[in-house]
């Protein structure tokens, strides 16, 4: 049997080299008329070598990757082979930033005289964002006369009412303004109450009415509510936060280890970068925000 010719042997030997060259060849990018954020134009003239982590979700950054000639992760990768892309996304810090976990955080407490709110698209208080908040009111309800009492709970989004530890009204879920009602017999005197409310997105409203012997339908008044001797109910206002369970220095150190100098997000920013890693925001515009990873 004749052996391989020198030409065939040389061709076979060159296959791994050819595969490597193809793998490392910069990929073609989608042409777009979207204006590139100004920092990208500055990066184009920066001789330093660093990576840019894209968490924007729509990968518009990738369309301009050739402008700044920096390795990027997310969507299409600039001059980074596929196997390196998989390694990059497998890093704990990158996974934590891509998939933050939601948690409810107490922002403040206050006593509200009655529960009759129509916040519209606004937040109940400047300390809260307009969406993704929860409120829990607790205290006592004074029933003036024994007999049948009707309660009405309308809300956008979800709400519930408990009296003496029993669930009386369940108006839960995410929905437009909707009312639930219930009639039950209550004895005159003090009764423990708890009202819960949650807002997802869009308009927000809550109203709690009553109707009973000698009492026409109206919002439950402050004189019928109390918390530790004060009129009204104690409200605990919570905000849903997205946490990455990263310390300030630990998260920064993880990004530096990957060569990341800038992180790009969508127009709403990224709570983990701002609250946990406390990265300074260096730019906002063209539908993105840019954060810088400070050197050690």
């Amino acid at each position: 049997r004749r052996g391989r010719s020198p030409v065939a042997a040389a061709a076979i030997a060159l296959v791994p080299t050819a595969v490597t060259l193809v793998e490392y060849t910069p990929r073609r990018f989608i042409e777009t008329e979207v204006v590139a954020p100004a920092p990208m134009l500055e990066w184009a003239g920066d001789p330093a070598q660093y990576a840019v982590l894209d968490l924007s979700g729509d990968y518009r950054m990738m369309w301009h990757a050739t402008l700044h000639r920096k390795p990027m992760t997310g969507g299409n990768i600039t001059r980074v082979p596929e196997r390196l892309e998989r390694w990059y996304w497998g890093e704990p810090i990158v996974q934590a930033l891509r998939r933050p976990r939601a948690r409810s955080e107490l922002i403040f407490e206050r006593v509200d005289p009655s529960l009759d709110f129509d916040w519209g698209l606004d937040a109940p208080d400047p300390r809260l964002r307009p969406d993704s908040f929860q409120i829990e009111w607790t205290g006592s309800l004074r029933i003036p006369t024994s007999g049948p009492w009707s309660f009405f709970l309308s809300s956008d989004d979800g709400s519930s009412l408990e009296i003496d530890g029993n669930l009386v009204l369940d108006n839960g879920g995410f929905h437009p303004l909707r009312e639930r009602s219930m009639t039950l017999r209550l004895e005159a005197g003090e009764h423990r109450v708890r009202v819960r409310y949650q807002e997802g997105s869009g308009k927000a409203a809550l109203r709690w009415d009553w109707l009973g012997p000698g009492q026409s339908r109206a919002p439950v008044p402050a004189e019928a509510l109390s918390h530790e001797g004060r009129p009204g109910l104690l409200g605990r206002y919570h905000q849903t936060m997205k946490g990455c369970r990263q310390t300030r220095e630990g998260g920064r150190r993880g990004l530096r280890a990957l060569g990341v100098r800038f992180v790009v997000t969508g127009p709403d920013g990224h709570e983990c970068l701002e609250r946990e890693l406390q990265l300074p925001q260096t730019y906002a515009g063209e539908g993105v925000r840019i954060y810088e990873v400070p050197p050690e």
Side-chain angles (χ1 to χ4, degrees):
R1 183 178 178 181
R2 298 178 60 185
R4 295 190 181 94
S5 67
V7 174
I12 293 174
L14 288 174
V15 168
T17 302
V19 170
T20 301
L21 289 174
V22 170
E23 187 177 28
Y24 278 82
T25 299
R27 304 178 186 180
R28 299 180 64 85
F29 292 91
I30 302 172
E31 293 184 0
T32 176
E33 296 181 358
V34 177
V35 178
M40 292 187 180
L41 303 178
E42 298 175 4
W43 296 342
D46 187 350
Q49 295 296 313
Y50 49 82
V52 178
L53 176 60
D54 179 19
L55 300 174
S56 65
D58 59 8
Y59 306 127
R60 284 187 296 168
M61 286 282 293
M62 301 303 105
W63 302 345
H64 304 286
T66 54
L67 288 176
H68 52 78
R69 303 184 181 88
K70 296 291 182 279
M72 302 183 68
T73 68
N76 295 321
I77 309 300
T78 309
R79 295 184 310 285
V80 178
E82 184 177 354
R83 61 171 176 262
L84 180 55
E85 176 184 354
R86 289 196 297 267
W87 164 79
Y88 213 113
W89 284 127
E91 288 296 304
I93 179 60
V94 179
Q95 288 189 342
L97 292 174
R98 290 184 68 202
R99 300 182 179 88
R101 299 181 180 181
R103 70 182 189 279
S104 182
E105 181 175 316
L106 177 64
I107 305 301
F108 65 92
E109 298 180 351
R110 74 182 185 195
V111 174
D112 292 312
S114 64
L115 306 187
D116 183 9
F117 303 105
D118 185 359
W119 297 295
L121 297 175
D122 297 326
D125 186 275
R127 290 169 285 185
L128 290 175
R129 297 194 308 274
D131 295 327
S132 301
F133 62 86
Q134 308 84 37
I135 312 171
E136 180 185 70
W137 290 277
T138 56
S140 296
L141 168 67
R142 185 177 61 83
I143 297 296
T145 306
S146 299
W149 284 84
S150 297
F151 296 96
F152 308 84
L153 194 62
S154 59
S155 63
D156 176 357
D157 288 300
S159 59
S160 65
L161 168 65
E162 295 178 14
I163 298 179
D164 293 328
N166 300 311
L167 181 62
V168 175
L169 289 173
D170 184 358
N171 196 12
F174 298 99
H175 50 74
L177 190 64
R178 185 178 71 186
E179 181 179 274
R180 291 287 187 264
S181 62
M182 170 69 76
T183 300
L184 67 160
R185 180 177 178 81
L186 291 175
E187 298 299 322
E190 301 289 329
H191 297 266
R192 292 181 295 108
V193 294
R194 182 191 307 271
V195 178
R196 290 189 172 98
Y197 172 79
Q198 64 171 344
E199 163 63 6
S201 61
K203 294 183 178 180
L206 174 78
R207 176 168 170 154
W208 179 30
D209 288 1
W210 69 349
L211 170 67
Q215 170 65 55
S216 59
R217 176 172 173 173
V220 181
E223 54 267 25
L225 302 172
S226 64
H227 175 78
E228 297 181 351
R230 300 170 59 187
L233 298 178
L234 176 65
R236 296 179 174 87
Y237 289 71
H238 296 75
Q239 187 88 66
T240 298
M241 302 291 187
K242 291 183 178 180
C244 298
R245 298 184 179 180
Q246 297 288 321
T247 64
R248 178 177 180 272
E249 293 306 320
R252 291 182 175 191
R253 187 164 51 248
L255 291 175
R256 292 192 200 103
L258 299 176
V260 175
R261 181 175 173 186
F262 295 101
V263 182
V264 183
T265 74
D268 296 329
H270 197 293
E271 291 182 14
C272 295
L273 299 177
E274 297 172 2
R275 293 171 55 85
E276 297 182 27
L277 274 63
Q278 299 177 18
L279 297 185
Q281 179 181 303
T282 59
Y283 184 82
E286 286 80 44
V288 300
R289 292 193 188 188
I290 298 177
Y291 301 83
E292 184 172 5
V293 182
E296 289 188 277

